Amino acid sequence: MSLSTLWIGLRALHFLSVLLLAGSAFYTALLAPRRYRPLLSQRLGLILRTSALLSLFSALLMLATQTGLMSGDWRNVSDSATWQAVLSTRFGQVWRWEIAFALLSTLALLLRGTLRQNLLLCSGLLQLMALAGVGHAAMRDGWPGLLQQGNHALHLIAAAFWAGGLLPLLVLMREARQIAFRTDAIRCMMRFSRYGHLAVALALLTGTINSLLIAGSPLNWQATLWSELLVVKVLLVMLMIAIALTNRYLLVPRFRLAASNTAHLFIRLTQLELLLAVIVIGLVSVFATLSPA
């Protein structure tokens, strides 16, 4: 496997783990009723632990891989001078913070209660904000660069709330089957649905702005692999939105109908939406390494 391929795979893994960490922590720190948060944090414990550890593991491996890519030889990964040179670059300076925030997420797992959940959410959001400091979003300097990076950070946070919240949503669907937790689980899901509308709208708006800032007007786009993959991403996101709208406005109102398999269909469509989100993350990890021109 080449270093370039390894970089794309690690980038996808890191994005996925951070989005899942933040998306799950939104539930346990904010969306769930207070009395239900301790129990929900236990139910989502495996997801939170795995995503936090993977975010740190992938961030460290990404730095090592980037060291090999920048030096042109993977054997330089063991050379301390090369590491220092990479850490002095813009990527290296930003990635120090990314690793520090990932480490903070991992250390938060040692805590308990509200502090643990709040720290997991904050560290996850900080990782997303640091990610906006590398890649295409960091192509400008000064105030234009700060505005573009801020827009991209909002895009990632909105995507984390939406896409990162899909797997916990499936856990809550299972929780809702138990009479003792049904009311709290449903209330949590309804809050996710309510604020999810805003998250989807924000993701679309900031994503559009980001594409315009990177490549200009679509009328001037060249037929490059970057633009083609972007179009595929947009189509997949539109399909995700169609599934979300179907779930919310066609299936949810029918949950109370007797002898209905609506809940089963809701779960299957949510699983499909989650699969599409993973594919989108993979695409983003590919065209983030490409030039728009």
Side-chain angles (χ1 to χ4, degrees):
M1 179 187 296
S2 68
L3 285 177
S4 298
T5 304
L6 179 60
W7 171 259
I8 293 173
L10 289 173
R11 186 184 180 96
L13 177 62
H14 188 68
F15 267 90
L16 181 61
S17 60
V18 177
L19 261 63
L20 188 56
L21 172 64
S24 301
F26 270 122
Y27 283 96
T28 57
L30 296 176
L31 295 177
R34 289 188 179 276
R35 64 181 182 183
Y36 185 54
R37 290 176 188 177
L39 179 61
L40 183 59
S41 65
Q42 295 179 16
R43 297 290 191 267
L44 298 180
L46 180 60
I47 298 175
L48 289 166
R49 290 192 299 272
T50 302
S51 56
L53 291 172
L54 280 179
S55 71
L56 177 60
F57 175 73
S58 56
L60 290 169
L61 284 183
M62 285 178 71
L63 179 59
T65 304
Q66 189 63 223
T67 301
L69 286 171
M70 288 186 175
S71 65
D73 189 344
W74 64 268
R75 287 170 294 189
N76 289 330
V77 170
S78 61
D79 181 48
S80 60
T82 304
W83 278 80
Q84 293 176 4
V86 172
L87 288 172
S88 66
T89 64
R90 178 185 178 89
F91 169 84
Q93 292 171 357
V94 172
W95 214 250
R96 292 179 186 182
W97 288 105
E98 185 70 15
I99 292 175
F101 296 144
L103 179 60
L104 182 61
S105 296
T106 304
L107 293 176
L109 297 174
L110 302 175
L111 303 175
R112 292 290 183 271
T114 301
L115 178 60
R116 177 179 187 262
Q117 303 311 318
N118 290 340
L119 192 56
L120 283 172
L121 177 58
C122 289
S123 59
L125 294 179
L126 287 171
Q127 287 185 72
L128 293 171
M129 293 171 66
L131 282 171
V134 295
H136 291 141
M139 60 189 293
R140 290 179 173 83
D141 296 320
W143 283 106
L146 290 176
L147 291 175
Q148 183 173 2
Q149 291 170 45
N151 175 79
H152 191 52
L154 287 175
H155 179 70
L156 294 175
I157 292 172
F161 186 95
W162 175 24
L166 293 176
L167 185 56
L169 180 63
L170 293 173
V171 175
L172 284 166
M173 283 294 295
R174 184 179 59 193
E175 285 285 289
R177 296 175 183 174
Q178 305 180 49
I179 297 178
F181 313 127
R182 181 177 179 83
T183 300
D184 288 333
I186 291 177
R187 184 176 300 175
C188 189
M189 288 188 287
M190 293 307 295
R191 288 177 178 175
F192 172 73
S193 176
R194 184 184 309 123
Y195 295 112
H197 287 72
L198 298 177
V200 172
L202 182 60
L204 290 177
L205 176 61
T206 53
T208 300
I209 293 174
N210 200 38
S211 298
L212 293 175
L213 290 173
I214 292 173
S217 171
L219 297 176
N220 299 324
W221 286 1
Q222 300 176 9
T224 63
L225 181 57
W226 183 90
S227 61
E228 292 171 354
L229 290 179
L230 179 60
V231 170
V232 174
K233 174 195 171 183
V234 170
L235 292 176
L236 291 175
V237 170
M238 291 299 104
L239 182 55
M240 289 177 61
I241 293 175
I243 292 173
L245 292 175
T246 299
N247 277 345
R248 176 62 183 86
Y249 293 104
L250 292 182
L251 298 185
V252 170
R254 300 177 58 188
F255 274 179
R256 295 184 178 181
L257 296 179
S260 174
N261 65 343
T262 305
H264 179 75
L265 181 56
F266 179 95
I267 292 173
R268 288 290 178 260
L269 286 178
T270 303
Q271 290 172 339
L272 175 58
E273 187 180 359
L274 179 59
L275 175 61
L276 291 174
V278 173
I279 295 174
V280 168
I281 291 172
L283 282 176
V284 170
S285 299
V286 173
F287 73 69
T289 63
L290 302 174
S291 172

